[in-house]
Amino acid sequence: MPVFLDATAPDFETAFAALLGAKREDAPDVDEAVAKIIADVRARGDAAVFALTAKFDRLALTAETMRFSPEEIEMYCAEVPEGERVALELAAERIRAYHARQMPEDALWQDESGATLGWRFTPVSEAGLYVPGGLASYPSSVLMNAIPAKVAGVERLAITCPTPDGVVNPLVILAARIAGVDEIYRIGGAQAIAALAYGTESIAPVDKITGPGNAFVAAAKRRVFGKVGIDMIAGPSEILVIADAENDPDFIALDMLSQAEHDESAQAILITDSPDLARDVAAAIERRLETLERRAIAGASWRDYGAVITVSDLSQAAALSNRVAPEHLELCVADPMGLSEEITHAGAIFLGQWTPEAIGDYVGGPNHVLPTARSARFSSGLSVMDFLKRTTLAQMTPEALRAIGPAAETLAISESLEAHGLSVRARLDKLND
Amino acid sequence: MPVFLDATAPDFETAFAALLGAKREDAPDVDEAVAKIIADVRARGDAAVFALTAKFDRLALTAETMRFSPEEIEMYCAEVPEGERVALELAAERIRAYHARQMPEDALWQDESGATLGWRFTPVSEAGLYVPGGLASYPSSVLMNAIPAKVAGVERLAITCPTPDGVVNPLVILAARIAGVDEIYRIGGAQAIAALAYGTESIAPVDKITGPGNAFVAAAKRRVFGKVGIDMIAGPSEILVIADAENDPDFIALDMLSQAEHDESAQAILITDSPDLARDVAAAIERRLETLERRAIAGASWRDYGAVITVSDLSQAAALSNRVAPEHLELCVADPMGLSEEITHAGAIFLGQWTPEAIGDYVGGPNHVLPTARSARFSSGLSVMDFLKRTTLAQMTPEALRAIGPAAETLAISESLEAHGLSVRARLDKLND
């Protein structure tokens, strides 16, 4: 049974803290196995990747067949029905337009000392994108990862996507082509992450790896972090809906189930100032769970982690939501933009009853790779910034050095860093000659 | 002996690859010890922190004495001589001015479908800053970490700084006060990181932890990552200088030694198109090493990891520098701004002969917390962005949902996510009623 809480009840704080603290994911400890796989790929390169792919994916690869050829890509793309192709193209166009606006500005200015200061953004040169195979092989995730990379200016973008028993999802191939991906490899697991990070005879190493994956992929990403950059390690999906009385309970039920159907560890929470709506949404969820295709998964998520909280007013709802810091937040209220200003921690906000979270998963434009497990308190969704880095610029003139150099020398001496101080002093002495 | 390479020699590529691949740091494996310390602090809170501080810092603390009182802070600040105080204030002012320019803009716009899209930045609410004790207790690092946090709008900023045997560095306390730090605790090591991440009876938990530390601190930061955000794990310092013939060899020698004096594992590299300068800088380094206070450290760094590379032209120097992706890059050439446009990977660039790297360590304005170990290929120095996160915003109108909803439904069905599709379809049906 999901949890039903009344925020005005005396024992609410205890129950809410328990809800916040509930551990939803018990990732299996595969770290040792992953360390061995990475060492094997570093030592034997292609040969290790082929052996591991034969073992895990029951697929015999060679240096020639590991990478999809232009002809294969063409063939798979042609298999995608018109409707799906058009939908993918619309999604790609909207995602591209949104992310293009994220491109940051370079800056260069002169300050009152005469020093020139600034920064410049440059793209990561080469990036790798992990795409899961099988059930969780989502073409939408290919767009959401690859398009920001290409908008940022990544020159070489390689995808790895396992094809167990040789089964390929043509939509993934088409999404990669639409997004401008440069290379697609039919490998997966920790061996794919190792190949991207360290390179093999056939796969050049990359500088950054993004994309979701299972426990092996997550452990491998943690291990190669430092050698390459990685994105966040995503946890199970979450949605929090703040709703007033003026809502269709079935809309909200479906929005909550659309996260619950991802994963038995997903979490859907409703916070409302209407006890009637609370009751009606819960009933609508039960009704929808009778027929939903993924009712086993969605039902388990709702039963184990679902929650309905009634509050006295919407500001209280916003305050509770801030403590959850949800990945997805729907504001189904009369003035959603106004209420959004009370939100301090959330991955993505969906405003008003005509904005189901699923719009954001596909065609809204913003990224659907978002911080989970309360990490919206300190991190953001994927963006072009994940594929850019900032180099700071500083140029002193003799006058600027005369103005601020002595302070640097003083601080260097106070930190017992003599050469630091001398590097400034030698120049000041020359200027004073 | 440092390495001397000629980029036009036939065996250069092999030697340069060896230089790039050289492992400069062998961090001791303290992970198991750190796991125990974190578990202890989580289980016993203050009591564990007191016991560990007694053991490692030979200091008996209580809930009352663990945090510096306003009177103590006042007392230590009064001990700082006028010259150092003024220098710290100048540095703080310049760092604040630079970082204030980094504050990103929120955005909100309406697209052609009628949808409202955008994003909003919000600060991390609570942050912790680790400051090492003893020799590496640098007041400049307090400014460099704390000021971006306060500029970003962090409400509560707590510092932990161990005081072995009770010895306090008054400059650290003053730097913290100038930067606007809210709480200062005299604890360190993995126990300080655990206390910041999980909280104790006396220390409230934070959302993000930044700042440098030893192997125990680095391992603890890795372990608490996910529960809280962390900044990068910094490696030994690096400088690469690109210089033409028109330079004072002693300036460049001192700049290179100012990184070498940090750490025996630090690295200083000179790339020049002038064989004469190469020879003169090497000689100047040897001369300075005769008298430098930290000559043991700087000499070991120079001997084991130093390199001088001669090239045929400065574009070749830029290309080699891009493969190194140095933390600090000095461009001591006639047209430094022009050459900087050929630089694709570097943490910070210092332009021209009047900009010693040490200016950037203290008073330049840009941050001195920068990516090491070639990670400038995929990451940036510390900035206000490390203390902000972006929430995406999306609001559909009925018209917008009619325009783009069907594509979302198509893609949801193609990914076998029925509830996602139904959440859009239910709304489209209602609109079509």
Side-chain angles (χ1 to χ4, degrees):
Chain A
M1 273 287 289
V3 178
F4 290 83
L5 302 177
D6 173 355
T8 62
D11 61 346
F12 172 74
E13 188 51 42
T14 310
F16 186 69
L19 183 70
L20 277 185
K23 197 170 161 60
R24 285 188 287 132
E25 203 183 23
D26 251 331
D29 187 359
V30 297
D31 201 45
E32 208 175 313
V34 164
K36 280 187 191 146
I37 290 172
I38 293 174
D40 192 18
V41 173
R42 290 185 70 176
R44 296 198 296 140
D46 279 354
V49 173
F50 300 155
L52 290 158
T53 304
K55 179 177 167 189
F56 292 119
D57 296 342
R58 300 159 301 279
L59 186 67
L61 293 180
T62 66
E64 286 67 45
T65 60
M66 178 161 58
R67 179 172 170 184
F68 282 85
S69 69
E71 296 73 28
E72 285 175 302
I73 291 172
E74 189 53 51
M75 182 190 81
Y76 285 114
C77 288
E79 283 181 19
V80 175
E82 169 83 0
E84 275 88 337
R85 184 180 59 71
V86 170
L88 273 180
E89 284 168 351
L90 173 73
E93 189 188 326
R94 292 186 58 86
I95 296 164
R96 200 173 283 123
Y98 183 92
H99 288 77
R101 290 190 181 240
Q102 291 180 330
M103 282 299 283
E105 299 275 338
D106 293 344
L108 202 65
W109 68 91
Q110 211 171 38
D111 72 13
E112 64 290 349
S113 76
T116 300
L117 299 173
W119 61 77
R120 189 179 290 152
F121 285 94
T122 48
V124 169
S125 296
E126 312 189 32
L129 163 56
Y130 189 90
V131 180
L135 249 189
S137 180
Y138 295 141
S140 58
S141 289
V142 174
L143 298 182
M144 291 290 181
N145 280 272
I147 290 174
K150 281 295 177 183
V151 168
V154 171
E155 274 180 33
R156 171 177 168 250
L157 179 57
I159 279 189
T160 61
C161 180
T163 57
D165 302 304
V167 177
V168 174
N169 180 347
L171 279 160
V172 163
I173 306 298
L174 178 60
R177 193 174 70 173
I178 290 172
V181 168
D182 301 290
E183 303 164 14
I184 313 175
Y185 298 95
R186 54 183 109 220
I187 60 174
Q191 58 272 24
I193 301 297
L196 289 171
Y198 291 98
T200 70
E201 299 91 320
S202 305
I203 303 178
V206 301
D207 301 311
K208 175 134 191 176
I209 300 174
T210 71
N214 62 17
F216 283 82
V217 171
K221 281 169 67 179
R222 274 187 192 272
R223 282 209 160 249
V224 300
F225 173 55
K227 165 69 179 161
V228 300
I230 63 168
D231 62 343
M232 67 193 90
I233 306 285
S237 223
E238 307 151 5
I239 187 168
L240 190 151
V241 181
I242 298 179
D244 60 22
E246 302 303 311
N247 274 283
D248 184 325
D250 195 45
F251 290 5
I252 293 175
L254 286 167
D255 297 350
M256 294 174 73
L257 288 170
S258 75
Q259 291 313 297
E261 74 176 344
H262 270 298
D263 192 327
E264 293 185 1
S265 302
Q267 182 166 51
I269 299 174
L270 169 66
I271 307 183
T272 178
D273 59 356
S274 162
D276 286 354
L277 186 83
R279 188 197 56 221
D280 293 347
V281 168
I285 287 176
E286 296 301 341
R287 210 159 44 236
R288 287 288 186 175
L289 276 174
E290 288 168 17
T291 57
L292 201 67
E293 282 166 18
R294 297 169 76 112
R295 59 185 171 273
I297 294 171
S301 157
W302 176 240
R303 184 182 65 238
D304 293 342
Y305 302 111
V308 177
I309 303 172
T310 50
V311 290
S312 53
D313 63 68
L314 294 175
S315 281
Q316 190 181 20
L320 292 176
S321 175
N322 288 338
R323 290 174 64 190
V324 174
E327 179 189 18
H328 304 102
L329 172 62
E330 284 189 6
L331 300 180
C332 300
V333 297
D335 177 17
M337 198 57 85
L339 190 60
S340 78
E341 283 161 22
E342 296 181 42
I343 300 301
T344 54
H345 310 304
I349 302 180
F350 303 88
L351 300 118
Q353 66 162 326
W354 303 112
T355 317
E357 183 280 329
I359 284 291
D361 283 335
Y362 297 110
V363 297
N367 212 286
H368 78 197
V369 180
L370 293 166
T372 57
R374 308 191 58 217
S375 64
R377 291 174 298 127
F378 54 81
S379 62
S380 311
L382 199 70
S383 78
V384 297
M385 297 302 295
D386 290 284
F387 300 98
L388 294 168
K389 59 265 182 343
R390 186 188 343 87
T391 300
T392 60
L393 301 169
Q395 177 163 26
M396 298 296 122
T397 57
E399 294 66 41
L401 193 66
R402 278 202 194 95
I404 68 174
E409 188 188 17
T410 298
L411 293 172
I413 292 168
S414 82
E415 292 183 356
S416 301
L417 294 171
E418 187 193 15
H420 285 67
L422 287 173
S423 73
V424 176
R425 173 49 48 196
R427 287 167 167 94
L428 291 175
D429 285 347
K430 188 163 189 173
L431 288 174
N432 293 335
D433 263 357
Chain B
M1 277 286 290
V3 179
F4 289 83
L5 303 176
D6 173 356
T8 61
D11 61 345
F12 172 74
E13 187 51 43
T14 310
F16 187 69
L19 184 70
L20 278 185
K23 197 171 162 58
R24 286 188 288 130
E25 203 183 21
D26 250 333
D29 187 359
V30 298
D31 201 46
E32 209 176 311
V34 164
K36 279 188 192 145
I37 290 172
I38 293 175
D40 192 17
V41 173
R42 291 186 68 176
R44 297 197 295 141
D46 279 353
V49 173
F50 300 153
L52 290 158
T53 303
K55 179 177 169 189
F56 293 119
D57 296 342
R58 300 160 301 280
L59 187 66
L61 293 179
T62 66
E64 286 67 44
T65 61
M66 177 160 59
R67 179 173 168 183
F68 283 85
S69 70
E71 295 72 28
E72 286 174 301
I73 291 171
E74 189 53 49
M75 183 190 79
Y76 285 114
C77 288
E79 286 181 18
V80 176
E82 169 83 0
E84 276 88 337
R85 184 181 58 71
V86 171
L88 274 180
E89 284 168 351
L90 173 74
E93 189 188 325
R94 292 186 58 87
I95 296 164
R96 199 173 285 124
Y98 183 93
H99 288 78
R101 290 190 182 241
Q102 291 179 330
M103 283 297 286
E105 299 274 336
D106 292 345
L108 203 64
W109 67 91
Q110 208 171 41
D111 73 13
E112 64 290 349
S113 77
T116 300
L117 299 174
W119 61 77
R120 188 179 291 151
F121 284 94
T122 48
V124 169
S125 295
E126 313 189 32
L129 163 55
Y130 189 88
V131 180
L135 249 189
S137 180
Y138 295 142
S140 58
S141 290
V142 174
L143 298 182
M144 291 290 180
N145 280 270
I147 290 174
K150 281 295 176 180
V151 168
V154 171
E155 275 180 34
R156 172 178 167 250
L157 178 57
I159 279 188
T160 61
C161 179
T163 59
D165 301 306
V167 176
V168 174
N169 181 348
L171 279 160
V172 163
I173 305 298
L174 178 59
R177 194 176 67 174
I178 290 173
V181 168
D182 302 290
E183 302 164 14
I184 313 175
Y185 297 95
R186 51 184 111 221
I187 59 174
Q191 58 273 24
I193 301 297
L196 289 171
Y198 291 98
T200 69
E201 299 90 322
S202 306
I203 303 178
V206 301
D207 300 312
K208 174 136 191 174
I209 300 174
T210 70
N214 63 17
F216 283 82
V217 172
K221 280 169 67 180
R222 275 187 193 275
R223 281 210 162 251
V224 301
F225 174 54
K227 165 68 180 160
V228 299
I230 63 168
D231 62 344
M232 68 193 88
I233 307 285
S237 222
E238 308 151 4
I239 186 168
L240 191 151
V241 181
I242 297 179
D244 60 23
E246 303 303 311
N247 275 283
D248 184 326
D250 195 44
F251 289 3
I252 293 176
L254 286 167
D255 297 351
M256 293 173 75
L257 288 170
S258 76
Q259 292 313 297
E261 75 176 343
H262 270 299
D263 191 328
E264 294 185 0
S265 302
Q267 182 165 52
I269 299 175
L270 169 65
I271 308 184
T272 178
D273 59 356
S274 162
D276 286 353
L277 186 85
R279 189 196 55 220
D280 295 347
V281 168
I285 288 176
E286 296 301 341
R287 212 160 40 236
R288 287 287 187 175
L289 277 174
E290 287 168 17
T291 57
L292 201 66
E293 282 166 19
R294 297 169 76 112
R295 58 186 171 273
I297 293 170
S301 157
W302 177 239
R303 185 181 64 238
D304 293 343
Y305 303 111
V308 177
I309 303 172
T310 50
V311 290
S312 52
D313 62 69
L314 294 175
S315 281
Q316 191 181 20
L320 292 176
S321 176
N322 288 337
R323 289 173 64 191
V324 174
E327 180 190 18
H328 303 104
L329 172 62
E330 284 189 4
L331 300 180
C332 299
V333 298
D335 178 17
M337 199 58 87
L339 189 61
S340 78
E341 282 162 22
E342 296 180 43
I343 300 301
T344 53
H345 310 304
I349 301 181
F350 303 88
L351 300 118
Q353 65 162 327
W354 303 112
T355 319
E357 183 280 329
I359 284 291
D361 282 335
Y362 297 110
V363 296
N367 211 286
H368 79 194
V369 180
L370 293 165
T372 58
R374 307 189 61 216
S375 64
R377 291 174 297 127
F378 54 79
S379 63
S380 312
L382 199 71
S383 78
V384 296
M385 297 303 293
D386 290 283
F387 300 98
L388 294 168
K389 58 264 184 341
R390 186 190 341 86
T391 299
T392 61
L393 302 169
Q395 178 163 24
M396 299 294 124
T397 57
E399 295 66 39
L401 193 67
R402 278 202 194 95
I404 68 174
E409 186 187 18
T410 298
L411 292 173
I413 292 167
S414 82
E415 293 183 354
S416 302
L417 293 172
E418 187 194 15
H420 285 67
L422 287 173
S423 73
V424 176
R425 173 49 47 197
R427 287 167 168 93
L428 291 174
D429 285 348
K430 188 162 189 175
L431 288 173
N432 294 336
D433 261 359

